Amino acid sequence: MSNIDLQAGLRDHLWMHMASHDHLFTGGRTPVITHGEGHHVWDDKGHKLIDGLAGLFTVQVGYGREELAQAAYDQTKKLGFFPLWSYAHEPAIELATRLAAYAPGDLNRVFFTSGGGDSVESALKLAKNYFRLTGKPGKHKIISRATAYHGTPHGALSVTSLPDLRNQFAPLVPGAHKVPNTNFYRADDRFSGDEKAFGRWAADRIEEVIEFEGADSVAAVFLEPVQNSGGCFPPPPGYFERVREICDEHDVLLVSDETICAFGRIGSMFACNDFDYVPDIITTAKGITSGYAPLGAMIASDRLFEPFGKGGETFYHGYTFGGHPVSCAVALANLDVMEKDGLNDRVATNSLAFRNTLEKLTDLPIVGDVRGEGYFFGIELVKDKATKETFTEEECERVLNGFVSPALYERGLYCRADDRGEPVIQLAPPLTCGPEDFAEMEQIIRSVLVDAAEKL
């Protein structure tokens, strides 16, 4: 298709995700990404960009990896498809075994899904089903954090905390409760710079909700190791240790939603290992295949599987394409590449350099905070640095959405400028990036933010 035909087809037939389309009917256009190589992508105008978001926190090993394409081809020739409904196939068994070896504690049972939202939905169902089968049918309520995003299926959307995403689809699944997140930059002055005290306070709010609702009604707490939405909130020291204590005391399941944070994004294959806690369930997707094929997983403890193993119960839940043999083969090849190229070690080695490079931006009056871990950082923008005053809704629309996002793209950087919470620029590049790439990203962001500050 010619560029003109592509735009016409996009306007008339393609329904994009999480996107406005009105500009297409007033002469506007949407870039069409045509190909990628390494940690760069190109659009239909030949414009080259650093992929500062790894597609969508996904392409860990970069673009154009022939090993992954070859794995897909080989598996397609052998077995192009077969479901996991009462049968199994070799790639799923091998991948489940490998994931269980990466996971901490007794998280040994892998339930494959089609993606991250499906993994969260699966964990929500498992939590309720498990307690029903073990004599505690009243435990059905779910706790998650303010501003958090956990997916778009109806149950996962109830766990999600973003009103603009939820309101269109109300009423949602009942029993979902929200607690404060770990945005230390926005913490009360009473903590006087004490991150550990703030973390204890934030964790204790979880116990407060459990006790208010009644522990006999609460099934699970869903937390990302580093919260994505709102701008990369890492856990304060001691936070997850305290959350684990609370969950154990009240017989509540701790779900580590690692849709983004797993497979080297923070450093280890699973980020709960980076922060030294053992959840009851891990939900994950994205980087498991580096996006070369769709796949997700819910990894549960032996205890949670017991009723469905020796107990003889059936978990009546599944997906046609969950654990697709080609996707599993690609995932295995992806993990081989990560290990062969030492990408987890690369993140551990370069993360501080990434942070230090981005922190140079704090000399700009519009940059309030730089935060994150591994290869996952957020830059919070402010109108007044001294008071931490944020933008009005109109300013966000005009400056962040109307200028910063397109300007970053035009100057060669694909990333996310997000105002679901405070306005932030998020960076999560392929794990193949290094210090030279960090410096280039910083220079592009700096040039855009200097101009954005003038527009205010």
Side-chain angles (χ1 to χ4, degrees), residues 157-179:
L157 193 57
S158 299
V159 182
T160 291
S161 305
L162 300 165
D164 287 348
L165 295 186
R166 292 159 51 94
N167 292 345
Q168 293 182 8
F169 310 106
L172 301 178
V173 177
H177 300 270
K178 307 299 180 279
V179 295

Side-chain angles (χ1 to χ4, degrees), residues 49-113:
L49 304 106
I50 300 176
D51 182 357
L53 204 62
L56 194 62
F57 315 102
T58 299
V59 190
Q60 316 295 63
V61 301
Y63 296 90
R65 301 303 297 244
E66 293 185 4
E67 306 98 310
L68 275 62
Q70 187 66 48
Y73 175 67
D74 291 344
Q75 182 58 45
T76 300
K77 289 195 300 179
K78 183 177 182 182
L79 181 67
F81 173 73
F82 209 82
L84 294 178
W85 296 58
S86 301
Y87 296 89
H89 49 71
E90 293 171 286
I93 296 169
E94 185 177 347
L95 181 58
T97 302
R98 194 160 176 179
L99 294 177
Y102 292 140
D106 68 340
L107 277 77
N108 292 316
R109 188 60 59 164
V110 181
F111 182 96
F112 287 116
T113 71

Side-chain angles (χ1 to χ4, degrees), residues 104-173:
D106 68 340
L107 277 77
N108 292 316
R109 188 60 59 164
V110 181
F111 182 96
F112 287 116
T113 71
S114 302
D118 293 339
S119 297
V120 170
E121 190 82 5
S122 302
L124 180 64
K125 286 185 174 181
L126 175 59
K128 294 180 178 182
N129 199 350
Y130 170 77
F131 283 119
R132 183 178 295 276
L133 293 174
T134 54
K136 298 181 179 180
K139 292 176 79 71
H140 70 280
K141 296 175 183 176
I142 302 298
I143 296 172
S144 58
R145 294 187 291 206
T147 325
Y149 174 81
H150 292 280
T152 55
H154 225 60
L157 193 57
S158 299
V159 182
T160 291
S161 305
L162 300 165
D164 287 348
L165 295 186
R166 292 159 51 94
N167 292 345
Q168 293 182 8
F169 310 106
L172 301 178
V173 177

Side-chain angles (χ1 to χ4, degrees), residues 6 8 48 53 108 120 131 167 171 209 246 258 293 304 311 329 357 405 438 441 450:
L6 284 171
K48 180 182 178 181
L53 204 62
N108 292 316
V120 170
F131 283 119
N167 292 345
V209 171
I246 292 167
E258 305 200 16
L304 298 186
T357 300
S405 287
F438 306 153
M441 286 186 269
V450 166

